[in-house]
Amino acid sequence: ALTPALIVGIWMHGWRSLVVTVVAIASCVLLEWLYGKVTRTRNTVIDGSAMVTGMLLAMTLPATVPYWLVVAGSAFAIIFVKALCGGLGQNVFNPALSARGFMMLVAPKYMVRFLSVDGVTEATPLHHMVMPALPEESLLDMFLGNCPGSIGEISALALLVGGVYLVCRKVISARIPLAYLGTVAVLTLVFAKTESPVQWMLYSLLSGGVMLGAIFMATDYATSPVTARGQIVYGIGCGALTVIFRYFGLFPEGVTYAI
């Protein structure tokens, strides 16, 4: 389901996007295997969850991120967030998002360098919205992925394709993503910071990690509610916190901390 987003990331930002993804997946798998060996516990690499964690982590990172930082983030996700909490299904927080938060804490300067399509480092659309101002990119560019940003978050179209696939395969329910995106849409429309509320709302939905977070992160089995009403309340809460953190937080993005 994440393959379309990865393909767009490689196409727009170059092959380093693929290398970062491979490093994240490989380190997560290796670290989970090593942890099992050192602690003499059951080897859980075969369940594939470490690969998913690595892939999700890579999707939240800029293509310019140093490889050593990717390995450090993978270690935090697998050992501290997942393994020490009891393993798959016992973690309190989403491993990939927790790792991204950790990386932002220890090395923020490497986490805010984003490539444009021509390979030049420049600000993301979210940085323009902090001013506040509408981004320079068109809504179509944002929808397709023709903009600076993290590897897997730039193309709303690619993420929606992956989301539809997950819903059709009944891997996830549409409740959380719809509640999340709907809440962000309503709040940014009502509390728009420009004279074009509809445009502000659409840019808010298409910029940063909202689509990636709503479809792939907030729906994580271990850290999301199991009841239908609980999922709706959870999605609304994630959406509301995302807008609050974006409007009043220290960083332009709010998805990681909201979820």
Side-chain angles (χ1 to χ4, degrees):
L2 282 167
T3 301
L6 175 60
I7 291 173
V8 174
I10 296 170
W11 180 261
M12 296 297 182
H13 297 158
W15 286 103
R16 201 176 193 281
S17 299
L18 178 60
V19 179
V20 168
T21 305
V22 170
V23 170
I25 293 173
S27 12
C28 281
V29 171
L30 178 61
L31 287 162
E32 183 152 309
W33 179 80
L34 285 173
Y35 182 87
K37 285 291 185 182
V38 170
T39 58
R40 297 182 180 180
T41 53
R42 184 173 64 89
N43 194 317
T44 56
V45 171
I46 197 171
D47 64 22
S49 62
M51 295 180 65
V52 175
T53 297
M55 183 80 164
L56 286 170
L57 175 58
M59 296 298 96
T60 70
L61 304 177
T64 57
V65 66
Y67 299 130
W68 65 264
L69 187 57
V70 179
V71 175
S74 299
F76 187 82
I78 294 299
I79 297 174
F80 291 97
V81 183
K82 183 180 175 185
L84 293 180
C85 286
L88 181 63
Q90 305 301 315
N91 47 289
V92 180
F93 300 108
N94 182 292
L97 286 183
S98 299
R100 186 184 186 279
F102 166 75
M103 294 164 75
M104 279 292 296
L105 182 66
V106 300
K109 67 177 181 179
Y110 295 119
M111 298 292 287
V112 293
R113 295 177 179 173
F114 299 97
L115 290 176
S116 63
V117 180
D118 57 7
V120 178
T121 303
E122 62 181 56
T124 66
L126 269 180
H127 286 83
H128 290 283
M129 298 180 75
V130 171
M131 294 181 186
L134 293 177
E136 298 174 352
E137 294 82 3
S138 69
L139 286 169
L140 180 60
D141 283 338
M142 299 278 290
F143 185 69
L144 297 177
N146 186 17
C147 59
S150 296
I151 293 170
E153 73 179 20
I154 56 173
S155 173
L157 174 60
L159 292 167
L160 287 171
V161 169
V164 169
Y165 173 77
L166 290 177
V167 172
C168 290
R169 290 290 304 272
K170 297 183 177 179
V171 176
I172 66 171
S173 164
R175 294 187 196 96
I176 292 175
L178 290 178
Y180 194 143
L181 297 174
T183 302
V184 172
V186 170
L187 291 178
T188 53
L189 180 65
V190 173
F191 301 104
K193 290 187 174 183
T194 66
E195 295 179 356
S196 305
V198 174
Q199 279 192 305
W200 179 264
M201 174 197 71
L202 293 174
Y203 275 113
S204 297
L205 288 172
L206 297 178
S207 61
V210 169
M211 289 287 179
L212 178 65
I215 297 169
F216 290 96
M217 302 294 191
T219 53
D220 175 39
Y221 288 163
T223 54
S224 61
V226 295
T227 65
R229 282 187 295 180
Q231 290 173 353
I232 294 172
V233 171
Y234 173 67
I236 292 172
C238 287
L241 287 173
T242 296
V243 175
I244 290 171
F245 291 154
R246 282 187 171 187
Y247 277 32
F248 305 108
L250 296 175
F251 300 105
E253 183 61 273
V255 173
T256 298
Y257 305 105
I259 296 176

